[in-house]
Amino acid sequence: MDILYIWIFAFSIVIILAVLRYIKIGHYEPDKVLQDFGNSICVNYSVIGSKTLPKSSVVKIQLAGNCVSLFNKSDNALDIHAPRKALAHNLFVRAKKVFPHAVVIEVDC
């Protein structure tokens, strides 16, 4: 009987994470993933994770397959993984608009 409770708990967590993903990033709509707040950008990069960055901190944008990476001045990156290349490309286009001063790199995969 205890194993049944474990399965119910695990299934409940999966359902909750799916709902959070739908609410938070809305099927990877670029405006919801990269929210513009003037001098800063809120990046909703995962189901439960988001980060606010100053626009001036991003110096390079890279698209590689399903992943859009935002590099800062110290060469650290924030990766945004999308389930399909088309969605990643839409995020890439939005990132180029939001960070117009950044170097743009497309890697063929």
Side-chain angles (χ1 to χ4, degrees):
M1 195 65 163
D2 291 332
I3 193 80
L4 178 64
Y5 293 124
I6 293 172
W7 279 107
I8 291 172
F9 179 72
F11 186 69
S12 299
I13 289 178
V14 169
I15 296 293
I16 290 170
L17 289 176
V19 168
L20 284 174
R21 178 179 185 181
Y22 179 77
I23 291 170
K24 186 149 189 156
I25 58 179
H27 296 297
Y28 293 90
E29 292 178 25
D31 293 338
K32 289 185 180 180
V33 176
L34 298 172
Q35 295 179 341
D36 193 352
F37 294 131
N39 290 332
S40 62
I41 298 293
C42 181
V43 181
N44 296 311
Y45 59 90
S46 73
V47 176
I48 55 174
S50 65
K51 190 169 194 171
T52 302
L53 306 170
K55 283 186 179 180
S56 60
S57 70
V58 176
V59 295
K60 182 170 63 171
I61 305 165
Q62 176 179 304
L63 174 65
N66 295 8
C67 181
V68 176
S69 300
L70 306 174
F71 291 87
N72 65 15
K73 295 174 184 174
S74 63
D75 215 26
N76 291 328
L78 177 64
D79 295 330
I80 307 167
H81 296 278
R84 294 190 311 250
K85 284 186 180 182
L87 297 174
H89 182 71
N90 291 341
L91 288 173
F92 184 64
V93 169
R94 170 80 172 147
K96 289 192 298 187
K97 290 178 185 174
V98 171
F99 304 107
H101 62 279
V103 176
V104 177
I105 298 173
E106 287 189 59
V107 178
D108 292 329
C109 292

